[in-house]
Amino acid sequence: EGDADEKPVHSVTLDGFKMSMYEITNALYCEYLNAAFASSDIEVRNDGDVYGKTGEWSGQRYLDIGYTENASNTCWILFNGAEFLVQVGYAERPVIAVMWYGAKAFANYYGFDLPTEAEWEYACRSGAQNKYGTLNGDINDGLANFGDAIGYPLAVGSYAPNGYGLYDM
């Protein structure tokens, strides 16, 4: 199954890699933003969004602070002019509205990297040929938050992990 640009199915050999067992929370991403802001590696521009200020991704947007899909699905990170804060009650939700540059800078800051497509698929399938990243490879709203079942991100770890112990794949 899959789109034309996802075929043909082929084997890929991977080296060992590590992956966080949980999605990155708003709280953890805020810690990074505050450290990067204090070291002048990022800036908040007039549009209210976060941009790289130094290094390889200088000028690239990291975070769309103004992102809103609906009242329950919005960027829950705020900037008060001096520091980044998470809206009350959303610290353990997964950070959203992060651009690739912001994800890459976050990972690099902590000495990690983003997974390749092949690494992501392998981790998601947990070593099996499962179609979905759940423990048994099935999908329903009791196993994962997908489609319009809920319509907004839940706290990380809200569902059972897959076979590798990775949540919310």
Side-chain angles (χ1 to χ4, degrees), residues 67-166:
Y67 172 81
T68 299
E69 184 172 320
N70 59 50
S72 298
N73 193 359
T74 185
C75 180
W76 295 295
I77 294 177
L78 310 169
F79 182 68
N80 67 10
E83 67 179 334
F84 294 91
L85 307 161
V86 179
Q87 291 182 33
V88 175
Y90 296 96
E92 296 308 310
R93 300 263 181 111
V95 65
I96 61 173
V98 176
M99 307 301 131
W100 181 88
Y101 299 102
K104 184 77 169 174
F106 170 90
N108 287 349
Y109 179 81
Y110 288 106
F112 298 110
D113 202 356
L114 299 178
T116 65
E117 181 180 2
E119 289 169 342
W120 181 269
E121 183 174 339
Y122 181 81
C124 187
R125 291 177 182 241
S126 60
Q129 289 301 311
N130 292 336
K131 185 173 180 179
Y132 299 103
T134 59
L135 184 59
N136 64 4
D138 292 337
I139 194 80
N140 63 54
D141 58 6
L143 297 172
N145 183 6
F146 72 101
D148 292 328
I150 295 175
Y152 56 89
L154 299 174
V156 300
S158 291
Y159 294 92
N162 71 8
Y164 283 162
L166 302 173

